[in-house]
Amino acid sequence: MLTTIKKLPIKTKLVLIVSLVSIVGLIFEGTSFVIYERFRIKQEMVQDFSLLARIIGDRSIAPLVVKDNKTVQENLTLFKVRHAIVSAAVYDAQGDIFARYDSGEEPIFNFPTNVKIPVEPLPIEKNYLYLSEPIMDNGVLIGNIVIRASLRELNTLCQNFVLFSALVVFVASMIVLMVAAYLQRIILKPIEQLTSNVQAITQNKDYRVRVQIGNDDEFGSLKRLFNDMLETIESYD
């Protein structure tokens, strides 16, 4: 492959270099954006669910103390405001499930029973997020809330981010290719002019011809040196 690239014209090499550098940079930026957004949104979900769990926990302190299962069960219905929460459970001080919540959109999840509170470590599932919040009464641990939330919406959102980023990279790559093709003509035009003059001089053996200097850059310096060489050859001729 390297041999093939070496054989390519300079203008093609310039377009390839500019395009590849730009496309790699765009892909890196798009990937970083998706990863950061997933991390940020997931952290916001954790904070939001933890706050909601603490609110429900505070409202469930008295019912837990007096063993009012019905009131705790009603408190858990507040999780309906967060569609991602598919199930939750309130544990009492003995580590038994006192009340639970199920959204009804997924099969009932079997929370562990007869556990030590606070409930940790929590199970690990690829597409689910688990949170555990203690329920405290004047500094005494009297219960625990465990939340099981689906990451399906987050995964769908990230997939949309990936598709959108891919579209942006594609469109930007096309623009880069067009700009690179335009710029290579500007850069290589002096070389093409010099090459044309050299061919004419070689064919006609006319060393009185001089190359037009043009811009005062490296190509201009090269043309001045070429004109000096022609003057030297002309004087010897």
Side-chain angles (χ1 to χ4, degrees):
M1 182 178 179
L2 185 59
T3 304
T4 304
I5 294 176
K6 289 181 179 180
K7 293 180 180 179
L8 293 174
I10 293 178
K11 59 183 179 181
T12 305
K13 291 178 183 177
L14 284 174
V15 173
L16 283 176
I17 291 172
V18 174
S19 301
L20 286 176
V21 170
S22 302
I23 291 172
V24 170
L26 288 169
I27 292 174
F28 176 78
E29 183 178 0
T31 304
S32 302
F33 169 77
V34 173
I35 294 174
Y36 170 75
E37 282 299 306
R38 179 180 175 83
F39 174 78
R40 182 185 64 81
I41 295 173
K42 189 174 181 179
Q43 289 299 111
E44 288 181 354
M45 289 176 62
V46 170
Q47 295 175 1
D48 188 23
F49 296 162
S50 295
L51 177 60
L52 184 58
R54 286 194 292 270
I55 293 173
I56 294 175
D58 291 341
R59 296 180 59 174
S60 301
I61 292 176
L64 267 175
V65 172
V66 299
K67 305 297 182 181
D68 185 359
N69 176 273
K70 182 179 179 180
T71 301
V72 176
Q73 191 71 47
E74 291 176 353
N75 291 338
L76 288 177
T77 59
L78 290 175
F79 283 130
K80 290 182 178 180
V81 299
R82 293 295 179 266
H83 182 71
I85 299 177
V86 294
S87 55
V90 173
Y91 288 84
D92 58 20
Q94 288 71 42
D96 295 322
I97 296 179
F98 187 77
R100 63 173 296 150
Y101 163 80
D102 293 285
S103 65
E105 297 184 4
E106 294 190 5
I108 295 177
F109 177 74
N110 294 321
F111 285 98
T113 57
N114 299 320
V115 297
K116 181 179 179 181
I117 59 171
V119 182
E120 292 181 359
L122 297 172
I124 298 176
E125 289 185 86
K126 182 179 180 181
N127 295 317
Y128 291 90
L129 172 68
Y130 288 88
L131 293 174
S132 177
E133 287 290 338
I135 301 176
M136 310 293 293
D137 182 21
N138 295 322
V140 179
L141 182 64
I142 63 170
N144 198 184
I145 296 181
V146 176
I147 296 175
R148 182 174 184 257
S150 173
L151 297 177
R152 183 174 57 251
E153 293 182 358
L154 176 61
N155 293 336
T156 301
L157 183 61
C158 288
Q159 290 175 2
N160 293 335
F161 280 156
V162 171
L163 293 175
F164 178 75
S165 298
L167 178 62
V168 171
V169 170
F170 175 76
V171 174
S173 299
M174 294 300 101
I175 296 174
V176 168
L177 284 172
M178 291 187 292
V179 173
Y182 174 74
L183 291 178
Q184 62 89 13
R185 289 198 297 269
I186 296 177
I187 295 173
L188 295 181
K189 186 177 180 180
I191 296 180
E192 293 175 349
Q193 292 174 345
L194 182 59
T195 302
S196 177
N197 289 330
V198 170
Q199 290 175 345
I201 293 170
T202 303
Q203 292 174 358
N204 301 325
K205 305 298 182 181
D206 185 2
Y207 300 109
R208 294 172 299 175
V209 177
R210 296 293 181 268
V211 178
Q212 185 177 356
I213 300 299
N215 296 331
D216 189 16
D217 53 10
E218 288 81 356
F219 291 122
S221 300
L222 178 61
K223 290 178 180 179
R224 276 192 291 270
L225 291 173
F226 184 73
N227 287 338
D228 292 341
M229 182 184 68
L230 289 177
E231 290 178 3
T232 302
I233 294 175
E234 183 183 5
S235 63
Y236 282 114
D237 188 59

